[in-house]
Amino acid sequence: MKKIFVVILLVMSVSYIGNAKVKNEKIKNVKKTLTTLKSLKSNSKELNSQEYAKVLENFIKKSEKYLESGDKIQLVDDYINDIENAKVSKKALKDNYDADKEAFGIVEVAIFMKSSYSDGEKAKKLTDEDYKKMQEKFVKTNKFKQLEGYVEIQPVQPLQNK
């Protein structure tokens, strides 16, 4: 009887220690998440004209590399992270309108005209489904709603012989 009682106590203590470890890990994860959220809030200051110009300039430089490699998925993701999610003053938007249109145009042409910028290895691996997902993601952005119609892709007209 004593042996059974000792075994039960041993099993209970092991499960108690195991539960304590799980709870400790959950607490660490919650603290980590809260720290991340606080840092995101502190990093979301409103950008002025010069800061936003730098963000746009950096994006355009990165986009050239993505287009060379054909990494259109990363291009769209960076556009959303860097430009769409940037908190920008109205004056900064007005001051950087042309650069904003340029960045928008690069992404729009890259994903809506599949053959554009398709020389890179990563672009060759993209499926129609990949393009559809990128397009849906891009169309949902506020920038798309602001700037749609800015870039009008004209069909190529055949040359007429005289």
Side-chain angles (χ1 to χ4, degrees):
M1 189 71 161
K2 282 185 178 181
K3 288 181 183 181
I4 293 175
F5 185 69
V6 170
V7 170
I8 291 174
L9 284 176
L10 184 62
V11 169
M12 288 176 52
S13 65
V14 169
S15 67
Y16 178 76
I17 292 170
N19 287 336
K21 286 182 180 180
V22 170
K23 285 181 183 179
N24 194 19
E25 287 178 23
K26 286 181 182 179
I27 290 170
K28 285 180 183 177
N29 287 340
V30 169
K31 286 180 181 177
K32 187 176 182 181
T33 304
L34 290 174
T35 305
T36 305
L37 289 173
K38 286 179 185 176
S39 67
L40 285 175
K41 287 181 183 178
S42 65
N43 290 339
S44 62
K45 76 170 194 135
E46 189 172 84
L47 301 176
N48 64 30
S49 293
Q50 293 85 7
E51 292 168 331
Y52 190 53
K54 188 68 176 170
V55 167
L56 290 166
E57 181 183 323
N58 288 341
F59 173 78
I60 291 171
K61 285 179 185 175
K62 283 194 296 188
S63 70
E64 292 169 1
K65 292 176 185 170
Y66 292 144
L67 294 175
E68 285 176 18
S69 69
D71 193 355
K72 295 179 183 182
I73 293 173
Q74 190 62 48
L75 175 73
V76 173
D77 289 345
D78 276 3
Y79 180 82
I80 291 171
N81 290 333
D82 296 353
I83 297 172
E84 172 69 18
N85 292 337
K87 199 173 181 183
V88 183
S89 70
K90 289 186 182 205
K91 182 181 183 324
L93 286 173
K94 185 178 177 185
D95 293 347
N96 293 292
Y97 186 71
D98 290 336
D100 211 356
K101 288 190 306 187
E102 181 181 356
F104 176 83
I106 289 170
V107 176
E108 187 173 42
V109 169
I111 64 174
F112 284 99
M113 293 190 69
K114 297 176 190 176
S115 60
S116 295
Y117 311 114
S118 294
D119 295 335
E121 284 299 313
K122 292 185 179 184
K124 292 175 184 174
K125 295 177 184 176
L126 293 174
T127 64
D128 287 341
E129 186 64 29
D130 293 329
Y131 278 103
K132 184 178 177 185
K133 287 177 186 176
M134 285 186 288
Q135 290 167 357
E136 287 173 354
K137 192 185 245 187
F138 183 65
V139 168
K140 290 178 183 177
T141 65
N142 289 326
K143 287 286 182 189
F144 184 82
K145 293 171 185 131
Q146 280 178 335
L147 297 173
E148 83 178 305
Y150 156 71
V151 177
E152 291 187 25
I153 301 168
Q154 300 294 326
V156 177
Q157 299 293 328
L159 295 173
Q160 296 179 1
N161 294 333
K162 291 185 178 183

